[in-house]
Amino acid sequence: MRTTRRVAAAVLLVATVGLIIAASNSAAQDRPRPRQAACSTTVRGSHATANCFNPNPRADRVQLHVECAHWWDPDMDARPVEVGPAQYVLLAERCWKEIRKAWVSHR
């Protein structure tokens, strides 16, 4: 009698865990994926680079923006570049002296 109850409890536990895992997997698949290219920005001294890869089936336009640290140093914007599906793009800009911040915009 005890063995039957233990087996039933174990089966119930395994079934519950299985349902939780199945529900979390289906919820993860239902979430909308971002439709933008994945970009990483690196700043080294007065140079900024952005590496962008587009894993999506539609093209994305990316543009690197650089804000320079000194008021007399003009802020720079790279020209917008279209990143097609499964394509990789490298963008680069620079300031005369230090960079305050650099970021990528998507269109």
Side-chain angles (χ1 to χ4, degrees):
M1 184 75 122
R2 283 186 175 175
T3 324
T4 307
R5 284 185 183 172
R6 287 183 182 169
V7 170
V11 168
L12 182 62
L13 179 66
V14 169
T16 304
V17 169
L19 287 174
I20 291 171
I21 291 172
S24 68
N25 284 342
S26 67
Q29 291 173 355
D30 292 343
R31 272 186 254 142
R33 290 182 10 180
R35 297 288 181 191
Q36 297 177 339
C39 297
S40 64
T41 306
T42 306
V43 175
R44 288 199 179 115
S46 63
H47 296 271
T49 57
N51 299 309
C52 297
F53 175 73
N54 186 10
N56 301 306
R58 292 190 178 175
D60 185 18
R61 288 180 71 83
V62 294
Q63 184 177 15
L64 175 64
H65 306 277
V66 175
E67 184 177 311
C68 299
H70 300 287
W71 64 269
W72 45 263
D73 202 353
D75 296 342
M76 303 299 290
D77 295 325
R79 65 179 176 82
V81 177
E82 186 168 309
V83 185
Q87 284 187 337
Y88 170 83
V89 170
L90 176 68
L91 303 169
E93 273 300 335
R94 67 178 303 244
C95 293
W96 290 342
K97 291 284 185 178
E98 297 88 27
I99 293 176
R100 178 172 292 138
K101 63 180 176 178
W103 69 96
V104 175
S105 64
H106 302 266
R107 294 185 194 176

